[in-house]
Amino acid sequence: MLQNLEKEPFEFNWGGEPFVLNAQDMLMLTHQLLYARQTYGQIPSLVMAIKEQNEEVLREAVQTLSGRAQLINFAMNWSVNAFDEITFNNGDDMRKDLEANSKLKPGPAFFMTDSDIVAGWHQNRAPAYVNEPVASEIPTFLANGNMDPITPPANAREALKTLKNGYYAEFPSDGHSVFGACYLGLVQKFLENPDKVLNVDCASRPLSVNWR
């Protein structure tokens, strides 16, 4: 599907204007839909919609991404990333990742240009020590969705190694958002008694996904 979109982008009407969906856009849509269990169930229908030229499904997916983008202060996002990230994870790193994962070329829209914008946004950079693991005995609760496309569970597990009194809950059906009864209950129990061993069993229960 990505190869087909690279050769022939899909054109349809969105918001009364012509809209061109290319491979980069499709990767970005997929990435954004993975953020939440409530939206990643749309991915199969999105793939089929491109195959079947179903404009209505594509309009719904683009609307989801558009609504999320309007919540982001991009100037602030670039300012923070220029300081916090670019020294340790920049455009060259992204291009190397793409070489190792050639099926994802040309890379998702926004991310591929974002690193170039951030590089020239301002020149303030975080010192090397901020990228070192945090070692602490302070009780800490980490929660992650197994499907998270932006802060993957592997990062949380790595951080947990140097947190002596850390607790980790991984939600198998969730993406970047893990908000729900189990998560909120765990947060409440942890805050009420952070020194008590936290039982995170409820997090391991799979939740239903509305596949379409």
Side-chain angles (χ1 to χ4, degrees):
M1 181 200 59
L2 290 174
Q3 289 173 348
N4 290 340
L5 283 174
E6 274 200 82
K7 295 173 186 174
E8 188 176 348
F10 182 36
E11 298 184 28
F12 60 98
N13 188 283
W14 183 67
E17 299 287 342
F19 189 93
V20 179
L21 184 83
N22 59 27
Q24 280 194 308
D25 298 326
M26 181 58 192
L27 284 167
M28 191 67 191
L29 278 172
T30 305
H31 178 273
Q32 291 296 300
L33 290 173
L34 283 168
Y35 265 65
R37 176 169 46 87
Q38 293 78 5
T39 57
Y40 73 67
Q42 297 177 34
I43 293 175
S45 65
L46 182 61
V47 173
M48 290 303 298
I50 292 172
K51 181 180 179 181
E52 298 172 354
Q53 306 284 284
N54 186 330
E55 296 186 12
E56 191 56 41
V57 172
L58 290 166
R59 275 194 285 270
E60 181 183 353
V62 172
Q63 182 61 49
T64 299
L65 178 57
S66 174
R68 187 170 290 157
Q70 291 176 30
L71 298 174
I72 300 172
N73 183 327
F74 285 98
M76 177 60 76
N77 180 280
W78 292 331
S79 295
V80 172
N81 282 341
F83 184 82
D84 285 352
E85 297 294 337
I86 200 167
T87 303
F88 316 109
N89 185 20
N90 54 44
D92 289 339
D93 296 316
M94 196 171 296
R95 283 182 277 273
K96 287 177 184 176
D97 286 343
L98 279 179
E99 290 299 323
N101 298 276
S102 58
K103 289 182 179 179
L104 297 180
K105 285 184 176 179
F110 176 65
F111 288 109
M112 298 312 298
T113 55
D114 200 47
S115 58
D116 294 331
I117 294 171
V118 168
W121 190 247
H122 63 67
Q123 298 306 312
N124 300 305
R125 302 288 182 261
Y129 74 82
V130 304
N131 207 40
E132 296 298 315
V134 173
S136 176
E137 296 186 6
I138 297 172
T140 309
F141 174 46
L142 306 179
N144 224 126
N146 180 260
M147 303 288 286
D148 194 328
I150 196 72
T151 54
N155 289 3
R157 295 191 208 107
E158 189 67 25
L160 193 68
K161 292 178 181 178
T162 53
L163 298 172
K164 186 175 180 181
N165 295 306
Y167 303 98
Y168 175 55
E170 187 170 312
F171 295 78
S173 307
D174 283 309
H176 193 62
S177 170
V178 297
F179 293 115
C182 171
Y183 169 75
L184 294 173
L186 289 173
V187 170
Q188 183 174 354
K189 289 177 183 176
F190 175 73
L191 292 176
E192 288 174 350
N193 196 343
D195 294 316
K196 184 179 179 180
V197 175
L198 188 65
N199 183 339
V200 298
D201 287 349
C202 70
S204 62
R205 299 171 193 151
L207 299 172
S208 62
V209 178
N210 181 23
W211 294 107
R212 299 192 230 166

